[in-house]
């Protein structure tokens, strides 16, 4: 069985979609901030499109990245 890409039939390339989702999740950016940043780079993407990308792809990214993250809840105090 052939694995289908989750980006099939999208207007934009997968790397653009993933970049927007990653920036939104990593930095304190609004959807309109991302829309403006992409427009400065010559890409017109509406903020509602970015919202839809985040809703669709963020859970899958988290599921795939979670096992590779290191725990950072060190409760030891330094003194």
């Amino acid at each position: 069985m052939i694995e289908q890409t989750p980006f099939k039939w999208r207007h934009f390339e997968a790397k653009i979609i993933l970049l927007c989702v990653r920036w939104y999740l990593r930095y304190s950016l609004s959807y309109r901030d991302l829309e403006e940043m992409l427009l400065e780079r010559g890409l017109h993407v509406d903020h509602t499109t970015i919202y839809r990308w985040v809703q669709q792809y963020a859970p899958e990214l988290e599921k795939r990245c979670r096992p590779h993250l290191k725990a950072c809840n060190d409760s030891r105090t330094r003194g």
Side-chain angles (χ1 to χ4, degrees):
M1 189 175 202
I2 299 172
E3 183 180 331
Q4 292 185 353
T5 175
F7 303 102
K8 188 173 183 176
W9 305 113
R10 294 292 175 189
H11 182 75
F12 291 93
E13 293 180 30
K15 62 183 178 181
I16 300 298
I17 296 170
L18 288 173
L19 185 67
C20 283
V21 174
R22 191 183 79 196
W23 281 350
Y24 178 79
L25 295 174
R26 174 62 179 92
Y27 305 105
S28 297
L29 297 171
S30 70
Y31 299 118
R32 291 183 189 268
D33 289 337
L34 288 169
E35 176 183 18
E36 185 178 328
M37 290 169 65
L38 291 175
L39 189 58
E40 289 173 353
R41 289 160 176 78
L43 294 169
H44 180 68
V45 181
D46 192 70
H47 62 278
T48 55
T49 300
I50 298 170
Y51 167 80
R52 289 185 195 117
W53 291 345
V54 171
Q55 298 304 307
Q56 181 167 356
Y57 297 111
E60 182 65 24
L61 285 175
E62 181 178 3
K63 184 174 80 173
R64 291 181 184 208
C65 293
R66 182 66 49 200
H68 302 286
L69 298 176
K70 294 181 180 179
C72 61
N73 57 354
D74 186 11
S75 62
R76 292 180 286 170
T77 57
R78 296 178 187 216

